[in-house]
Amino acid sequence: MLLITLNYVPGKEIEALGVVKGTTVQTKNFGKDFMSGMKTLVGGELGAYTEMLNEARQIATKRMVDEAEALGADAVINIRYGSASMMQGAAEVVVYGTAVKYK
């Protein structure tokens, strides 16, 4: 499955099948959350949260691809990601785009 941020597939005629999306809400365990809280005292990257958001993006992307495959899509174009804090230590990640089929 081709996944691109362009609103077309270079060299292909396409037929739009509809919007597809994937979403997840992820959280880290208390121990990692506590250690990340301590890191805020000295600064630097919060590795546990970076890992959590990368995992969340992968899960959301997989769910979007599954939805596109169910429609018979060859690609998803114009992909966009969004995220929001749901509560302390938890984040929602959403990905969406347009499922298309090659003509």
Side-chain angles (χ1 to χ4, degrees):
M1 174 82 51
L2 177 65
L3 306 175
I4 57 175
T5 58
L6 299 171
N7 60 1
Y8 63 94
V9 177
K12 300 279 188 183
E13 280 192 56
I14 57 174
E15 171 190 350
L17 301 176
V19 174
V20 289
K21 51 59 182 114
T23 187
T24 187
V25 176
Q26 295 281 66
T27 185
K28 278 290 168 201
N29 68 40
F30 175 77
K32 287 188 178 184
D33 193 40
F34 176 77
M35 293 308 291
S36 292
M38 298 303 289
K39 181 76 170 184
T40 62
L41 298 175
V42 295
E45 182 178 8
L46 301 176
Y49 285 97
T50 300
E51 180 184 312
M52 176 186 75
L53 286 173
N54 282 333
E55 182 180 328
R57 281 187 205 97
Q58 289 175 349
I59 291 168
T61 300
K62 168 90 169 75
R63 290 178 179 168
M64 179 188 67
V65 167
D66 289 347
E67 203 172 291
E69 287 175 342
L71 293 175
D74 296 311
V76 180
I77 62 171
N78 206 23
I79 293 175
R80 299 291 183 259
Y81 285 91
S83 62
S85 178
M86 299 299 289
M87 57 188 241
Q88 180 68 30
E92 175 194 34
V93 172
V94 62
V95 59
Y96 58 93
T98 303
V100 298
K101 187 159 191 66
Y102 302 144
K103 287 186 178 182

